[in-house]
Amino acid sequence: MAGIGAGAAAADTVIDTIPVGEFPNGVAVSPFGFRAYVANAVDDSVSVIDTVTNTVVDTVTVGDFPLGVAVSPDGSRAYVTNRDDDSVSVINTFTNTVVDTVTVGDDPFGVAVTPDGSHVYVTNTTGAPSVSVIQTVDNTVVTTVGVGTFPIGVAVTPDGSHVYVTNTGGDTVTVIQTVDNTVVTTVGVGNGPLGVAVTRDGSRVYVGNNDDGTVSVIETAGNTVVDTVVGVGVGAAGVAVTPDGSRVYVADVGGDAVSVIETAGNTVIETIPVGGAPSFVAVTPLGFRVYVTNSDDDTVSVIAVERCSGSLCFATGSLVGGGSAGSGGTGSLAGGGSLAGAGSAGSVGS
């Protein structure tokens, strides 16, 4: 117990720092919470973290310059985007081996799995900006959807009906209807939108705007921006929402910190120092822990989330984290502190 009353509440704290591969970017947690998967861009690998001990228990070789990672809802597969060879590696999570490689569009980055596990959505950042839709039953691309300029982040709504894609070069978010994979609208947001995550009830979408240090809040009912959160640092990147929807965690790549937004008022209530150039975040489904990839120092920070019930606040650092279903977005950095192909500067929603 951390204390009684709001004044005695302890802040969220970094309880562990895990060395991983070189230049970690995307991160996703398994739905049962026992593993976290981290894409290491320079190493062409994925680090597999045991969330009980917070140690790397395996390393999987994937394609060239992996950036995004998402886990299927049943936890059996991890999907990894490989930017420099235009592919997605499919990992069998029981054996931690690559069982398939899917060719997609140019310079893939973000990746998200639908809640029923039937399809995977991948953002292709260059060439003809698009989203590749992979059918998981046979790992084939069944269609390609044109979107805005330099798409990076991607997130699927909890009911699987819509996909939200951040267009970093166009300051917009494309909304795709999954029933026929058509674009239904485009929403203007802040400058350089990168990370994206949807609340578990599907009512709100949070978008990290990398170039102006804000987070746009989209109401899904009308696909309009209903709020803009300021004070999230100098380079908002990856975004993740807690399972109860009360908080949003935003990686501030320029400030070496994670900003915590309280969704009740959409205000920043806390800033947590982490490692160098944090790019992406994943919240466990029980909401006890947050995993943050630090691209510049090749580590993952583990944040214990302080939770309150009425006037009682409990520290959760000793609790084993849960996992996300891998349906969130993947806003993360692509190389040397700048966006892949952008020249300047990465969800998991659950």
Side-chain angles (χ1 to χ4, degrees), residues 12-344:
D12 291 356
T13 8
V14 173
I15 59 167
D16 225 332
T17 301
I18 308 167
V20 289
E22 190 172 355
F23 210 77
N25 283 267
V27 56
V29 184
S30 67
F32 306 110
F34 298 114
R35 295 289 185 268
Y37 299 85
V38 176
N40 306 305
V42 174
D43 280 356
D44 298 342
S45 69
V46 170
S47 295
V48 183
I49 297 171
D50 182 325
T51 59
V52 176
T53 61
N54 283 328
T55 57
V56 174
V57 293
D58 210 342
T59 301
V60 185
T61 300
V62 289
D64 196 356
F65 213 83
L67 292 175
V69 58
V71 183
S72 61
D74 66 1
S76 66
R77 295 289 185 269
Y79 297 86
V80 183
T81 55
N82 305 305
R83 188 195 69 177
D84 287 356
D85 62 14
D86 302 339
S87 71
V88 171
S89 296
V90 184
I91 298 173
N92 179 324
T93 59
F94 299 109
T95 61
N96 285 328
T97 56
V98 174
V99 293
D100 210 344
T101 301
V102 186
T103 300
V104 289
D106 294 333
D107 298 332
F109 201 131
V111 56
V113 188
T114 56
D116 64 1
S118 64
H119 292 86
V120 175
Y121 286 77
V122 176
T123 58
N124 305 305
T125 58
T126 62
S130 64
V131 171
S132 295
V133 184
I134 299 170
Q135 180 176 267
T136 58
V137 66
D138 55 4
N139 288 325
T140 57
V141 174
V142 292
T143 192
T144 302
V145 184
V147 291
T149 306
F150 208 78
I152 289 188
V154 57
V156 186
T157 56
D159 64 1
S161 65
H162 292 84
V163 173
Y164 288 78
V165 178
T166 57
N167 304 307
T168 306
D171 302 337
T172 61
V173 171
T174 297
V175 185
I176 299 170
Q177 181 175 268
T178 59
V179 66
D180 55 4
N181 286 315
T182 58
V183 173
V184 292
T185 193
T186 301
V187 185
V189 289
N191 297 326
L194 183 56
V196 58
V198 187
T199 57
R200 180 164 284 184
D201 66 2
S203 66
R204 296 287 189 275
V205 175
Y206 285 80
V207 178
N209 302 308
N210 188 256
D211 291 346
D212 62 17
T214 66
V215 170
S216 297
V217 185
I218 299 172
E219 184 178 59
T220 58
N223 284 319
T224 56
V225 174
V226 293
D227 210 344
T228 300
V229 185
V230 298
V232 292
V234 295
V239 180
V241 185
T242 56
D244 64 3
S246 65
R247 289 182 172 188
V248 176
Y249 288 80
V250 184
D252 174 14
V253 67
D256 297 344
V258 170
S259 297
V260 184
I261 298 170
E262 186 175 61
T263 59
N266 283 325
T267 55
V268 175
I269 59 170
E270 194 175 351
T271 301
I272 308 164
V274 289
S279 59
F280 192 55
V281 292
V283 180
T284 60
L286 295 180
F288 291 147
R289 290 185 179 182
V290 178
Y291 286 79
V292 185
T293 53
N294 304 307
S295 296
D296 277 1
D297 59 15
D298 305 336
T299 63
V300 170
S301 295
V302 185
I303 298 171
V305 177
E306 207 261 343
R307 300 168 65 85
C308 297
S309 177
S311 62
L312 297 179
C313 291
F314 301 90
T316 58
S318 62
L319 298 180
V320 176
S324 106
S327 61
T330 56
S332 57
L333 298 184
S338 58
L339 295 177
S344 65

